[in-house]
Amino acid sequence: PRLLSQFFFADERMTRVVAEINGLDAELDPQQYLVLLNQLHLSQAHLLAILERIMEECIPTQRHSRDYLVKFPEELLVDNLGNHMLFAAECLLAGTFLELEEADRAQLRPRARNLLCSLELVRTVLREQSLTQPGSYPEPVRAVLIQFDRLFAEFELSYVSSLVAVKSPEEIYRQQEIVVLFCETVERALRLGYLTQEMIDGYEPLLMFTIPRLAIISGLLIYPEGPLSLEQSPEQMSRVFSPFYNLLKKIRDLLRVLSAEELCLLERSLCTAE
């Protein structure tokens, strides 16, 4: 049950797969090569998962900050992101990574080299520790884990920033404003009886359409200085709404001519229409 013992056997499995790959002629048996490559990715992901648990147990208060993850596109925030990072680092050193410009590859190679060297050191140190005192983490073990955690975070941020457009602090703030708008919209809808707490607690599917519709009205009329403010340029708005800037202006102009009774009737109809 000890994490260091689990790490030892996971490391053994990955070492065996690497040895099989190195002893195989990929051109003569491409099918077996793909099978082994898949096994390598799975064993590496398993090893990283155990290593993550070890770091949470050994250096929980000394982990490198991962606040930068909020800048990443949501489609990148997957469970096996760490495995993708190591695979990218290996490809960069092997010269087989072609998705980046050469200038970006040249900048990332030293970070990739440092990361992979640090991982090898971690594997060596943890294997030795698992064979001597598998229940403790002396200072040398903690030191190599802290270094690996830092190098991994630095490479992850640099690599993703080179590959895709990460969110700016301004865009993150705009998204937070949208979250606040949606929360205030729900609170108002509950207060006015447009929605019920039972609908929310039961994850009523209709809410996926109702809440955004009500939020547009709230953002244009009730909270006009919020994220849907049309006093700002489209470039200053969140990318969620900026493509619809002109349409939003037309909607706002139409809403302004409605009486209070007509607005209430409109909002109630938006809560029932498909």
Side-chain angles (χ1 to χ4, degrees):
R2 292 171 176 170
L3 288 177
L4 282 176
S5 299
Q6 294 178 33
F7 184 89
F8 177 86
F9 289 109
D11 189 76
E12 284 279 284
R13 283 193 293 271
M14 194 172 83
T15 301
R16 285 198 300 269
V17 174
V18 171
E20 289 187 56
I21 291 177
N22 291 337
L24 180 70
D25 190 328
E27 294 184 358
L28 294 179
D29 197 347
Q31 187 65 34
Q32 180 63 15
Y33 176 76
L34 292 177
V35 170
L36 290 174
L37 194 62
N38 183 61
Q39 290 181 8
L40 176 61
H41 290 162
L42 292 175
S43 62
Q44 190 176 56
H46 181 55
L47 187 77
L48 285 178
I50 297 175
L51 180 56
E52 177 68 22
R53 292 169 59 195
I54 289 175
M55 289 191 291
E56 282 299 312
E57 182 177 271
C58 178
I59 53 170
T61 61
Q62 297 169 287
R63 299 293 305 272
H64 194 84
S65 173
R66 296 301 196 279
D67 290 346
Y68 59 81
L69 289 174
V70 299
K71 298 181 179 182
F72 290 1
E74 292 183 2
E75 59 270 19
L76 290 184
L77 300 178
V78 294
D79 291 338
N80 58 346
L81 180 61
N83 209 28
H84 287 310
M85 292 300 105
L86 287 186
F87 182 68
E90 292 163 352
C91 290
L92 280 165
L93 286 190
T96 58
F97 197 92
L98 304 177
E99 295 184 36
L100 299 174
E101 298 293 333
E102 176 53 36
D104 291 328
R105 295 201 297 269
Q107 184 179 15
L108 283 171
R109 280 192 195 103
R111 292 185 182 274
R113 183 178 297 105
N114 291 339
L115 173 61
L116 294 178
C117 289
S118 178
L119 177 59
E120 287 303 309
L121 179 59
V122 165
R123 291 176 62 187
T124 300
V125 169
L126 291 185
R127 281 172 64 92
E128 293 176 352
Q129 187 65 23
S130 67
L131 293 172
T132 54
Q133 293 178 301
S136 64
Y137 301 102
E139 187 55 36
V141 173
R142 297 166 59 87
V144 297
L145 288 174
I146 292 172
Q147 181 189 49
F148 172 75
D149 190 47
R150 175 180 60 81
L151 291 174
F152 192 102
E154 291 175 352
F155 176 79
E156 184 175 53
L157 177 57
S158 300
Y159 168 72
V160 174
S161 299
S162 300
L163 193 64
V164 299
V166 298
K167 300 172 187 174
S168 66
E170 292 76 19
E171 179 63 20
I172 294 172
Y173 179 74
R174 294 187 194 111
Q175 290 187 346
Q176 291 173 337
E177 282 190 315
I178 295 173
V179 172
V180 173
L181 172 63
F182 272 56
C183 291
E184 291 177 338
T185 297
V186 171
E187 182 181 355
R188 176 174 174 269
L190 288 171
R191 186 172 66 252
L192 296 177
Y194 298 155
L195 306 176
T196 65
Q197 191 62 49
E198 289 74 18
M199 296 173 64
I200 297 174
D201 294 340
Y203 300 101
E204 174 63 43
L206 185 61
L207 296 180
M208 295 177 60
F209 303 96
T210 298
I211 294 176
R213 291 168 175 172
L214 294 177
I216 290 175
I217 294 179
S218 296
L220 293 174
L221 290 185
I222 313 301
Y223 311 107
E225 297 181 357
L228 282 180
S229 172
L230 298 178
E231 300 304 318
Q232 57 187 339
S233 66
E235 293 75 19
Q236 295 174 305
M237 298 180 72
S238 168
R239 287 179 289 182
V240 176
F241 295 115
S242 58
F244 310 104
Y245 185 82
N246 292 329
L247 177 60
L248 289 170
K249 290 185 68 174
K250 294 179 181 179
I251 294 174
R252 182 195 60 183
D253 294 342
L254 289 172
L255 292 174
R256 282 177 171 176
V257 302
L258 297 179
S259 65
E261 293 77 10
E262 290 171 331
L263 180 62
C264 178
L265 181 62
L266 173 62
E267 290 185 306
R268 288 191 179 277
S269 66
L270 292 178
C271 295
T272 56
E274 296 183 359

